[in-house]
Short mmCIF file of all heavy atoms in Angstrom, two decimals:
data_model
loop_
_atom_site.label_atom_id
_atom_site.label_comp_id
_atom_site.label_asym_id
_atom_site.label_seq_id
_atom_site.Cartn_x
_atom_site.Cartn_y
_atom_site.Cartn_z
N ILE A 1 10.40 8.24 -5.16
CA ILE A 1 10.82 6.84 -5.21
C ILE A 1 10.98 6.37 -6.66
O ILE A 1 11.97 5.74 -7.02
CB ILE A 1 9.84 5.93 -4.45
CG1 ILE A 1 9.94 6.19 -2.95
CG2 ILE A 1 10.12 4.46 -4.75
CD1 ILE A 1 8.90 5.47 -2.13
N VAL A 2 10.00 6.70 -7.51
CA VAL A 2 10.06 6.29 -8.91
C VAL A 2 11.25 6.95 -9.61
O VAL A 2 11.93 6.33 -10.43
CB VAL A 2 8.75 6.64 -9.63
CG1 VAL A 2 8.89 6.47 -11.14
CG2 VAL A 2 7.63 5.75 -9.12
N LYS A 3 11.52 8.20 -9.25
CA LYS A 3 12.60 8.95 -9.89
C LYS A 3 13.97 8.52 -9.40
O LYS A 3 14.91 8.34 -10.20
CB LYS A 3 12.40 10.45 -9.61
CG LYS A 3 13.43 11.35 -10.27
CD LYS A 3 13.13 12.81 -9.96
CE LYS A 3 14.17 13.73 -10.59
NZ LYS A 3 13.89 15.16 -10.29
N ARG A 4 14.12 8.32 -8.10
CA ARG A 4 15.44 8.09 -7.52
C ARG A 4 15.73 6.63 -7.15
O ARG A 4 16.88 6.22 -7.10
CB ARG A 4 15.61 8.97 -6.28
CG ARG A 4 15.47 10.45 -6.57
CD ARG A 4 15.61 11.29 -5.30
NE ARG A 4 15.39 12.70 -5.53
CZ ARG A 4 16.28 13.55 -6.02
NH1 ARG A 4 17.50 13.12 -6.29
NH2 ARG A 4 16.00 14.83 -6.21
N ALA A 5 14.68 5.88 -6.86
CA ALA A 5 14.90 4.48 -6.43
C ALA A 5 13.77 3.59 -6.95
O ALA A 5 12.97 3.07 -6.16
CB ALA A 5 15.00 4.41 -4.90
N PRO A 6 13.67 3.42 -8.26
CA PRO A 6 12.57 2.63 -8.83
C PRO A 6 12.53 1.19 -8.33
O PRO A 6 11.46 0.58 -8.31
CB PRO A 6 12.84 2.70 -10.35
CG PRO A 6 14.28 3.08 -10.47
CD PRO A 6 14.57 3.94 -9.30
N SER A 7 13.68 0.65 -7.92
CA SER A 7 13.70 -0.72 -7.42
C SER A 7 12.88 -0.84 -6.13
O SER A 7 12.28 -1.89 -5.85
CB SER A 7 15.13 -1.18 -7.16
OG SER A 7 15.77 -0.34 -6.22
N ILE A 8 12.84 0.22 -5.33
CA ILE A 8 12.04 0.22 -4.10
C ILE A 8 10.55 0.17 -4.45
O ILE A 8 9.78 -0.56 -3.83
CB ILE A 8 12.36 1.45 -3.22
CG1 ILE A 8 13.79 1.36 -2.71
CG2 ILE A 8 11.37 1.55 -2.05
CD1 ILE A 8 14.22 2.56 -1.89
N TRP A 9 10.17 0.96 -5.46
CA TRP A 9 8.77 0.92 -5.89
C TRP A 9 8.42 -0.47 -6.44
O TRP A 9 7.33 -0.99 -6.17
CB TRP A 9 8.50 1.97 -6.96
CG TRP A 9 7.07 1.96 -7.42
CD1 TRP A 9 6.58 1.48 -8.59
CD2 TRP A 9 5.94 2.41 -6.66
NE1 TRP A 9 5.21 1.61 -8.63
CE2 TRP A 9 4.79 2.18 -7.46
CE3 TRP A 9 5.78 2.99 -5.41
CZ2 TRP A 9 3.51 2.51 -7.04
CZ3 TRP A 9 4.50 3.32 -4.98
CH2 TRP A 9 3.38 3.08 -5.79
N GLY A 10 9.35 -1.07 -7.18
CA GLY A 10 9.11 -2.43 -7.68
C GLY A 10 8.94 -3.42 -6.55
O GLY A 10 8.08 -4.31 -6.61
N TYR A 11 9.75 -3.27 -5.50
CA TYR A 11 9.65 -4.14 -4.34
C TYR A 11 8.29 -3.98 -3.66
O TYR A 11 7.64 -4.96 -3.28
CB TYR A 11 10.77 -3.82 -3.35
CG TYR A 11 10.70 -4.60 -2.05
CD1 TYR A 11 11.13 -5.92 -2.00
CD2 TYR A 11 10.19 -4.01 -0.90
CE1 TYR A 11 11.05 -6.64 -0.82
CE2 TYR A 11 10.11 -4.73 0.29
CZ TYR A 11 10.54 -6.04 0.33
OH TYR A 11 10.45 -6.75 1.51
N PHE A 12 7.85 -2.72 -3.50
CA PHE A 12 6.55 -2.45 -2.90
C PHE A 12 5.43 -3.08 -3.72
O PHE A 12 4.51 -3.70 -3.18
CB PHE A 12 6.33 -0.93 -2.77
CG PHE A 12 4.95 -0.55 -2.33
CD1 PHE A 12 4.60 -0.63 -1.00
CD2 PHE A 12 4.01 -0.09 -3.25
CE1 PHE A 12 3.32 -0.29 -0.59
CE2 PHE A 12 2.73 0.26 -2.85
CZ PHE A 12 2.38 0.16 -1.51
N TYR A 13 5.52 -2.93 -5.04
CA TYR A 13 4.50 -3.47 -5.93
C TYR A 13 4.42 -4.99 -5.81
O TYR A 13 3.33 -5.57 -5.72
CB TYR A 13 4.83 -3.08 -7.38
CG TYR A 13 3.79 -3.51 -8.39
CD1 TYR A 13 2.74 -2.67 -8.74
CD2 TYR A 13 3.87 -4.77 -9.01
CE1 TYR A 13 1.79 -3.06 -9.67
CE2 TYR A 13 2.93 -5.16 -9.94
CZ TYR A 13 1.89 -4.30 -10.27
OH TYR A 13 0.95 -4.70 -11.18
N GLU A 14 5.58 -5.64 -5.77
CA GLU A 14 5.61 -7.10 -5.72
C GLU A 14 5.16 -7.63 -4.36
O GLU A 14 4.46 -8.63 -4.28
CB GLU A 14 7.03 -7.59 -6.04
CG GLU A 14 7.42 -7.38 -7.50
CD GLU A 14 8.85 -7.78 -7.77
OE1 GLU A 14 9.50 -8.35 -6.85
OE2 GLU A 14 9.34 -7.54 -8.89
N THR A 15 5.59 -6.97 -3.27
CA THR A 15 5.23 -7.47 -1.95
C THR A 15 3.74 -7.31 -1.66
O THR A 15 3.13 -8.17 -1.03
CB THR A 15 6.03 -6.77 -0.84
OG1 THR A 15 5.92 -5.35 -0.99
CG2 THR A 15 7.49 -7.16 -0.89
N THR A 16 3.13 -6.22 -2.14
CA THR A 16 1.69 -6.04 -1.91
C THR A 16 0.87 -7.00 -2.77
O THR A 16 -0.33 -7.19 -2.52
CB THR A 16 1.26 -4.60 -2.22
OG1 THR A 16 1.71 -4.23 -3.53
CG2 THR A 16 1.83 -3.63 -1.21
N ASP A 17 1.51 -7.61 -3.76
CA ASP A 17 0.83 -8.61 -4.59
C ASP A 17 1.08 -10.03 -4.09
O ASP A 17 0.58 -10.99 -4.64
CB ASP A 17 1.32 -8.48 -6.04
CG ASP A 17 0.42 -9.22 -7.02
OD1 ASP A 17 -0.81 -9.20 -6.82
OD2 ASP A 17 0.95 -9.82 -7.97
N ASN A 18 1.86 -10.14 -3.01
CA ASN A 18 2.21 -11.43 -2.43
C ASN A 18 1.27 -11.77 -1.28
O ASN A 18 1.02 -10.94 -0.40
CB ASN A 18 3.66 -11.37 -1.92
CG ASN A 18 4.17 -12.73 -1.50
OD1 ASN A 18 3.55 -13.40 -0.68
ND2 ASN A 18 5.31 -13.12 -2.02
N ARG A 19 0.73 -12.97 -1.27
CA ARG A 19 -0.22 -13.37 -0.21
C ARG A 19 0.36 -13.17 1.19
O ARG A 19 -0.33 -12.77 2.12
CB ARG A 19 -0.60 -14.85 -0.38
CG ARG A 19 -1.57 -15.11 -1.50
CD ARG A 19 -1.99 -16.57 -1.50
NE ARG A 19 -2.90 -16.85 -2.58
CZ ARG A 19 -4.21 -16.64 -2.54
NH1 ARG A 19 -4.75 -16.14 -1.46
NH2 ARG A 19 -4.97 -16.93 -3.58
N LYS A 20 1.65 -13.42 1.33
CA LYS A 20 2.30 -13.34 2.63
C LYS A 20 2.21 -11.93 3.21
O LYS A 20 2.06 -11.75 4.42
CB LYS A 20 3.76 -13.76 2.49
CG LYS A 20 4.54 -13.78 3.79
CD LYS A 20 5.97 -14.25 3.54
CE LYS A 20 6.77 -14.23 4.84
NZ LYS A 20 8.17 -14.65 4.61
N TYR A 21 2.29 -10.92 2.34
CA TYR A 21 2.29 -9.53 2.80
C TYR A 21 0.96 -8.82 2.55
O TYR A 21 0.82 -7.65 2.87
CB TYR A 21 3.42 -8.76 2.11
CG TYR A 21 4.79 -9.30 2.40
CD1 TYR A 21 5.45 -10.12 1.49
CD2 TYR A 21 5.43 -9.02 3.61
CE1 TYR A 21 6.70 -10.65 1.76
CE2 TYR A 21 6.69 -9.53 3.89
CZ TYR A 21 7.31 -10.34 2.96
OH TYR A 21 8.55 -10.85 3.24
N HIS A 22 0.01 -9.53 1.96
CA HIS A 22 -1.26 -8.92 1.59
C HIS A 22 -2.00 -8.40 2.83
O HIS A 22 -2.61 -7.34 2.81
CB HIS A 22 -2.12 -9.94 0.85
CG HIS A 22 -3.16 -9.32 -0.02
ND1 HIS A 22 -2.89 -8.28 -0.88
CD2 HIS A 22 -4.49 -9.57 -0.14
CE1 HIS A 22 -4.00 -7.92 -1.51
NE2 HIS A 22 -4.97 -8.69 -1.06
N GLU A 23 -1.95 -9.16 3.93
CA GLU A 23 -2.63 -8.75 5.16
C GLU A 23 -2.05 -7.45 5.71
O GLU A 23 -2.78 -6.56 6.15
CB GLU A 23 -2.52 -9.86 6.21
CG GLU A 23 -3.34 -9.56 7.46
CD GLU A 23 -3.28 -10.71 8.45
OE1 GLU A 23 -2.95 -11.85 8.05
OE2 GLU A 23 -3.56 -10.46 9.64
N ALA A 24 -0.72 -7.31 5.64
CA ALA A 24 -0.07 -6.09 6.13
C ALA A 24 -0.48 -4.89 5.29
O ALA A 24 -0.72 -3.79 5.83
CB ALA A 24 1.44 -6.27 6.10
N SER A 25 -0.58 -5.08 3.98
CA SER A 25 -0.97 -3.97 3.12
C SER A 25 -2.41 -3.55 3.40
O SER A 25 -2.75 -2.37 3.33
CB SER A 25 -0.80 -4.34 1.65
OG SER A 25 -1.65 -5.41 1.29
N HIS A 26 -3.26 -4.51 3.76
CA HIS A 26 -4.65 -4.18 4.09
C HIS A 26 -4.74 -3.40 5.39
O HIS A 26 -5.61 -2.55 5.55
CB HIS A 26 -5.50 -5.45 4.15
CG HIS A 26 -6.09 -5.82 2.83
ND1 HIS A 26 -7.23 -5.24 2.35
CD2 HIS A 26 -5.68 -6.69 1.87
CE1 HIS A 26 -7.52 -5.73 1.17
NE2 HIS A 26 -6.59 -6.61 0.85
N LYS A 27 -3.85 -3.67 6.34
CA LYS A 27 -3.82 -2.89 7.58
C LYS A 27 -3.47 -1.44 7.28
O LYS A 27 -4.04 -0.51 7.86
CB LYS A 27 -2.81 -3.49 8.55
CG LYS A 27 -3.28 -4.81 9.16
CD LYS A 27 -2.24 -5.37 10.11
CE LYS A 27 -2.72 -6.70 10.70
NZ LYS A 27 -1.71 -7.30 11.61
N PHE A 28 -2.51 -1.24 6.35
CA PHE A 28 -2.17 0.12 5.93
C PHE A 28 -3.37 0.80 5.29
O PHE A 28 -3.66 1.97 5.54
CB PHE A 28 -1.00 0.09 4.95
CG PHE A 28 -0.78 1.38 4.22
CD1 PHE A 28 -0.17 2.45 4.87
CD2 PHE A 28 -1.19 1.53 2.91
CE1 PHE A 28 0.03 3.66 4.20
CE2 PHE A 28 -1.01 2.73 2.24
CZ PHE A 28 -0.39 3.80 2.90
N LEU A 29 -4.10 0.05 4.45
CA LEU A 29 -5.27 0.60 3.79
C LEU A 29 -6.34 1.02 4.79
O LEU A 29 -7.00 2.04 4.63
CB LEU A 29 -5.86 -0.42 2.80
CG LEU A 29 -5.10 -0.60 1.50
CD1 LEU A 29 -5.72 -1.73 0.70
CD2 LEU A 29 -5.14 0.68 0.69
N GLU A 30 -6.51 0.21 5.84
CA GLU A 30 -7.49 0.55 6.87
C GLU A 30 -7.17 1.89 7.50
O GLU A 30 -8.06 2.71 7.77
CB GLU A 30 -7.52 -0.56 7.94
CG GLU A 30 -8.21 -1.83 7.52
CD GLU A 30 -9.67 -1.59 7.18
OE1 GLU A 30 -10.33 -0.79 7.87
OE2 GLU A 30 -10.16 -2.20 6.21
N ARG A 31 -5.89 2.14 7.75
CA ARG A 31 -5.50 3.42 8.36
C ARG A 31 -5.75 4.58 7.38
O ARG A 31 -6.24 5.64 7.78
CB ARG A 31 -4.02 3.38 8.76
CG ARG A 31 -3.72 2.39 9.88
CD ARG A 31 -2.30 2.55 10.40
NE ARG A 31 -1.99 1.57 11.42
CZ ARG A 31 -1.39 0.42 11.21
NH1 ARG A 31 -1.02 0.10 9.99
NH2 ARG A 31 -1.15 -0.41 12.19
N SER A 32 -5.40 4.38 6.11
CA SER A 32 -5.61 5.45 5.13
C SER A 32 -7.10 5.70 4.90
O SER A 32 -7.53 6.83 4.68
CB SER A 32 -4.94 5.10 3.80
OG SER A 32 -5.56 4.01 3.17
N ARG A 33 -7.91 4.66 4.98
CA ARG A 33 -9.36 4.82 4.84
C ARG A 33 -9.92 5.72 5.94
O ARG A 33 -10.70 6.63 5.70
CB ARG A 33 -10.05 3.45 4.92
CG ARG A 33 -9.97 2.61 3.66
CD ARG A 33 -10.46 1.23 3.95
NE ARG A 33 -10.56 0.39 2.77
CZ ARG A 33 -10.81 -0.90 2.81
NH1 ARG A 33 -10.96 -1.51 3.97
NH2 ARG A 33 -10.90 -1.61 1.71
N SER A 34 -9.52 5.46 7.18
CA SER A 34 -10.05 6.22 8.31
C SER A 34 -9.68 7.69 8.19
O SER A 34 -10.44 8.57 8.62
CB SER A 34 -9.50 5.65 9.63
OG SER A 34 -8.09 5.77 9.68
N ILE A 35 -8.54 7.99 7.57
CA ILE A 35 -8.10 9.38 7.39
C ILE A 35 -8.92 10.07 6.30
O ILE A 35 -9.25 11.25 6.40
CB ILE A 35 -6.60 9.43 7.03
CG1 ILE A 35 -5.75 8.93 8.19
CG2 ILE A 35 -6.17 10.84 6.63
CD1 ILE A 35 -4.28 8.75 7.83
N ASN A 36 -9.27 9.33 5.26
CA ASN A 36 -9.78 9.96 4.04
C ASN A 36 -11.26 9.77 3.75
O ASN A 36 -11.78 10.33 2.78
CB ASN A 36 -8.98 9.43 2.85
CG ASN A 36 -7.51 9.82 2.92
OD1 ASN A 36 -7.19 10.98 3.06
ND2 ASN A 36 -6.63 8.83 2.86
N LEU A 37 -11.97 9.00 4.54
CA LEU A 37 -13.34 8.66 4.20
C LEU A 37 -14.32 9.82 4.28
O LEU A 37 -15.24 9.94 3.47
CB LEU A 37 -13.85 7.52 5.10
CG LEU A 37 -13.58 6.10 4.59
CD1 LEU A 37 -14.09 5.09 5.59
CD2 LEU A 37 -14.25 5.88 3.24
N LYS A 38 -14.17 10.71 5.26
CA LYS A 38 -15.18 11.74 5.54
C LYS A 38 -15.49 12.61 4.31
O LYS A 38 -16.64 12.75 3.89
CB LYS A 38 -14.73 12.61 6.70
CG LYS A 38 -15.81 13.56 7.20
CD LYS A 38 -15.35 14.30 8.44
CE LYS A 38 -16.44 15.23 8.94
NZ LYS A 38 -16.03 15.98 10.16
N LYS A 39 -14.46 13.22 3.74
CA LYS A 39 -14.64 14.09 2.58
C LYS A 39 -15.11 13.30 1.37
O LYS A 39 -15.92 13.78 0.55
CB LYS A 39 -13.34 14.83 2.28
CG LYS A 39 -13.47 15.92 1.23
CD LYS A 39 -12.15 16.67 1.07
CE LYS A 39 -12.28 17.76 0.00
NZ LYS A 39 -11.00 18.49 -0.17
N PHE A 40 -14.60 12.09 1.24
CA PHE A 40 -14.96 11.20 0.13
C PHE A 40 -16.46 10.90 0.16
O PHE A 40 -17.16 11.01 -0.85
CB PHE A 40 -14.14 9.91 0.26
CG PHE A 40 -13.90 9.19 -1.04
CD1 PHE A 40 -12.85 9.55 -1.87
CD2 PHE A 40 -14.72 8.15 -1.42
CE1 PHE A 40 -12.62 8.88 -3.06
CE2 PHE A 40 -14.50 7.48 -2.62
CZ PHE A 40 -13.45 7.84 -3.43
N ILE A 41 -16.96 10.51 1.34
CA ILE A 41 -18.38 10.20 1.50
C ILE A 41 -19.24 11.42 1.21
O ILE A 41 -20.28 11.34 0.55
CB ILE A 41 -18.66 9.66 2.92
CG1 ILE A 41 -18.02 8.29 3.10
CG2 ILE A 41 -20.16 9.59 3.19
CD1 ILE A 41 -18.13 7.73 4.50
#
């Protein structure tokens, strides 16, 4: 994305910093947490 479509990465960065989309980004984080917590702990 950074190499071929940096504007998409910029959009992702800005939307995850926006209150309106913050809740959606946290839902994504919850899913990634459940996948990765075991080895981390």
Side-chain angles (χ1 to χ4, degrees):
I1 290 173
V2 169
K3 182 179 179 180
R4 301 179 184 279
S7 59
I8 294 177
W9 180 255
Y11 176 79
F12 172 79
Y13 184 91
E14 290 176 7
T15 52
T16 53
D17 195 38
N18 188 306
R19 284 186 181 276
K20 183 178 178 181
Y21 299 101
H22 203 47
E23 186 176 340
S25 63
H26 271 278
K27 288 180 180 178
F28 166 77
L29 284 174
E30 285 299 322
R31 294 190 182 95
S32 68
R33 283 170 174 171
S34 63
I35 294 171
N36 297 306
L37 271 178
K38 189 174 181 180
K39 188 176 180 180
F40 206 84
I41 291 175

